[in-house]
Amino acid sequence: MDPVIVVGAGPVGLTLALALARQEVPSVVLDEGPGRDAPRAARTVVLREDTATLVERLAGAPLGGTGLHWVGWRSVRRRQVMREVSFGDAEPAPLHIAQHALTGALRAAVAAEPLVELAADSRLDTIEQESSGLTAHTRGPKGTWWRGSYLVGCDGPRSTVRKLQDIRFPGRTAVERHAVAALRTELPWPGQALLHRTPPWRMPGPSAGEITARPLPDGVWRLDWLLPPGKDLVTPELLIARIRETLTGWTGEPAPSYELLDTGVHTVHHRLARRWRVGRVFLAGDAAHLLGTLGTQGLDEGLRDVDNLAWKLALAWHHSPSETLLDSYQAERRAVVAARLRAADQALPLLRGGGNLRSYVPGSARGQDALLSDGHLGRGALGAPGTYAGSPLTPAPSDSEARLDTEPGAVVADVRVTAEDGSFVRLRDRLGRGSLLVVLVAPGTGVWERKHWVSAGIMPRLAAAVTALPHPAELLVAESYPGAAAHTVLLVRPDGHLVTALSGVRPADLYRAAEATLGGPAKEQAAANAG
């Protein structure tokens, strides 16, 4: 079968190619550039724990050496500390990394992956779809025709793929603007990120704004100043004045020392593509959605697009495709991003207009600083990973369902589990391989070797039920799971979202839930697996 064509060699496109390769699906990545990225110290990204773990798992190396896990976060209003967070086991730290460093790590992993072909200087200009596949044409020094099974547009806000498929991209332009500077200096809170609202050294009014300071390795900081509405030019003189004023305000030094590395202006747009799938063509990342106000991170959502789409494309590539399964990508991911955009749009008048929170959100007791922290720290409606509660892959209700702290459709907790070889691993380490995960909650198993309980009690019956599922599944055992009773059985998708939890071993209910997860009746799938 022909490879999947990935258009765009940014973090989203490269991650998708690696995710497909891990599931034995070949791909061609069309890169309109020369195959490398120019270093830009002021162009950085913040990855939440789940997306950072996804990239590290696929890149095959930790990113902490090129990025920085923050030790803490503080929110300050004028001179008062409103909120302070220390990161650790209970509160995993975000990873802050320069985008060129992230892309470089992914490019290195792609170069070592035989199932991925990276085609530089290849600009897409034509897509022709057929019932059995598609053909894409690129122009440039290496212009040619490419044959593919599917095509995914990861080619950014001005996506050629989206335009060729005549997909509308409505939304709002220039929702926010930030002046950005990357500089090497010493600040009073090493390793901590800071959100400073209405700093006391600025005059009251719309220009008072807010400043964000995010640390990077080697004493480098990225500073963002929220600009007032309008299109006023950010001159070098204005930016230098902002830097000196800000550093003096924070350090108390009249002539603070710093080395300016890079500058820029970051403009945030809010847009959402009407369709994310047209036949064999899909959109992901900035080609499908733009967001980023109030501290939210657009790349996080793009990587979650990849996690959702990769296992579905792999299943379609290896076996007969299920239209329900492929359609579920748009149904799940577009709904989550739309909810994120609605939450941001509802909060913007309050947070940028100075209104009273309770007048905008009746019954809510959260303050403005708590709401902003949600966006920056990946919490709540502004930042937490989405839940696929209304997914077309949701199985029918069953009397044997068990209640957990994790709702169906949400991301499972990263508990310690025992793998089939007897080793102890994190649940998240088993994701992204294309297999379903079946997790038995069995208190006491953690203190015994696997050989003592693998053939006892309900284990043989559960193992037989897992073997009979319509798709390969891995059986794992957890000592405990938040909110789960003993002998609860969890069915988890390859992207880590909970399908259902059952009270005890229920082979028929487990089979039906797995069948629904694959997009419907599994007769053809089972026949393909048997063959």
Side-chain angles (χ1 to χ4, degrees):
M1 193 170 179
D2 295 315
V4 173
I5 299 174
V6 179
V7 183
V12 172
L14 295 171
T15 302
L16 176 59
L18 290 171
L20 291 171
R22 295 299 182 269
Q23 298 170 68
E24 300 181 351
V25 176
S27 63
V28 174
V29 180
L30 303 182
D31 182 2
E32 68 175 37
R36 59 185 180 275
D37 296 87
R40 285 291 311 275
R43 190 177 187 189
T44 67
V45 294
V46 178
L47 300 181
R48 315 304 182 204
E49 184 201 20
D50 61 325
T51 51
T53 302
L54 168 66
V55 173
E56 289 177 337
R57 187 173 69 236
L58 294 172
L63 298 174
T66 52
L68 184 71
H69 288 281
W70 300 336
V71 299
W73 158 271
R74 60 169 52 188
S75 174
V76 178
R77 188 177 180 89
R78 297 191 182 276
R79 297 187 185 276
Q80 181 181 2
V81 176
M82 304 298 294
R83 181 173 295 261
E84 194 160 8
V85 176
S86 294
F87 296 119
D89 293 339
E91 182 80 31
L95 175 70
H96 189 206
I97 185 171
Q99 183 161 321
H100 70 266
L102 174 63
T103 306
L106 290 167
R107 283 187 183 275
V110 162
E113 177 52 66
L115 286 176
V116 181
E117 179 181 356
L118 184 60
D121 298 315
S122 298
R123 185 177 181 84
L124 179 76
D125 63 6
T126 304
I127 301 173
E128 296 180 359
Q129 290 202 59
E130 308 158 16
S131 60
S132 59
L134 50 78
T135 306
H137 185 264
T138 56
R139 54 188 173 89
K142 301 179 181 178
T144 187
W145 289 94
W146 299 88
R147 183 69 183 170
S149 54
Y150 298 94
L151 183 146
V152 186
C154 307
D155 49 342
R158 297 179 175 85
S159 171
T160 300
V161 174
R162 189 183 64 240
K163 294 172 182 176
L164 290 174
Q165 298 305 300
D166 196 25
I167 299 174
R168 292 185 59 202
F169 199 38
R172 301 170 58 194
T173 300
V175 180
E176 285 184 352
R177 285 199 315 150
H178 297 258
V180 182
L183 47 91
R184 184 175 283 110
T185 189
E186 290 188 17
L187 293 179
W189 46 86
Q192 281 193 329
L194 172 77
L195 171 66
H196 199 160
R197 303 189 71 206
T198 58
W201 57 81
R202 296 201 59 79
M203 296 295 292
S207 64
E210 67 186 37
I211 310 167
T212 306
R214 301 183 180 100
L216 285 159
D218 302 322
V220 176
W221 293 80
R222 169 173 165 169
L223 272 56
D224 290 58
W225 293 265
L226 177 66
L227 298 172
K231 298 182 179 180
D232 294 342
L233 184 65
V234 180
T235 63
E237 294 77 15
L238 175 63
L239 192 54
I240 293 296
R242 285 284 179 97
I243 292 172
R244 290 175 174 169
E245 173 190 67
T246 299
L247 295 183
T248 296
W250 284 342
T251 66
E253 299 176 6
S257 174
Y258 68 92
E259 177 188 358
L260 184 60
L261 304 175
D262 192 18
T263 62
V265 175
H266 175 52
T267 304
V268 178
H269 309 287
H270 277 183
R271 296 191 179 277
L272 185 63
R274 292 288 191 193
R275 293 179 294 167
W276 291 27
R277 179 193 179 196
V278 178
R280 292 177 174 268
V281 175
F282 299 81
L283 299 178
D286 286 352
H289 49 75
L290 293 176
L291 68 164
T293 59
L294 310 179
T296 58
Q297 297 293 323
L299 180 57
D300 255 10
E301 295 302 337
L303 295 174
R304 290 174 184 141
D305 295 343
V306 167
D307 212 14
N308 184 291
L309 181 59
W311 71 273
K312 297 172 181 178
L313 280 181
L315 193 63
W317 194 89
H318 286 294
H319 309 291
S320 56
S322 161
E323 293 302 308
T324 301
L325 182 67
L326 294 178
D327 283 343
S328 72
Y329 167 65
Q330 172 177 309
E332 292 175 347
R333 291 299 307 149
R334 191 178 187 278
V336 165
V337 176
R340 187 88 75 235
L341 286 169
R342 283 194 300 271
D345 286 342
Q346 290 168 2
L348 273 168
L350 156 69
L351 295 169
R352 301 305 185 221
N356 180 275
L357 177 63
R358 299 188 181 199
S359 68
Y360 284 93
V361 187
S364 174
R366 295 195 302 171
Q368 296 184 10
D369 291 284
L371 194 57
L372 267 174
S373 296
D374 280 354
H376 282 274
L377 299 180
R379 299 167 168 174
L382 285 177
T387 298
Y388 304 143
S391 169
L393 306 182
T394 302
S398 166
D399 293 338
S400 63
E401 287 178 349
R403 296 188 63 83
L404 305 174
D405 290 354
T406 305
E407 294 294 323
V411 177
V412 292
D414 188 26
V415 298
R416 190 181 81 155
V417 295
T418 304
E420 293 182 352
D421 61 1
S423 62
F424 293 113
V425 296
R426 305 302 301 183
L427 179 55
R428 191 171 288 164
D429 293 339
R430 315 309 286 184
L431 301 176
R433 305 179 179 204
S435 299
L436 299 173
L437 303 180
V438 177
V439 182
L440 171 66
V441 179
T445 51
V447 299
W448 296 97
E449 290 188 39
R450 183 176 182 272
K451 65 182 181 180
H452 294 307
W453 48 260
V454 69
S455 59
I458 63 174
M459 280 296 295
R461 186 164 177 248
L462 179 58
V466 170
T467 301
L469 291 178
H471 186 70
E474 182 178 7
L475 176 57
L476 305 167
V477 178
E479 175 85 14
S480 63
Y481 188 91
H487 295 170
T488 299
V489 176
L490 285 64
L491 180 63
V492 183
R493 298 179 0 167
D495 58 0
H497 287 256
L498 179 67
V499 177
T500 189
L502 304 174
S503 299
V505 180
R506 311 281 182 139
D509 290 339
L510 187 63
Y511 188 95
R512 280 191 290 269
E515 190 178 53
T517 304
L518 303 176
K523 292 180 180 179
E524 293 183 4
Q525 183 69 38
N529 288 342

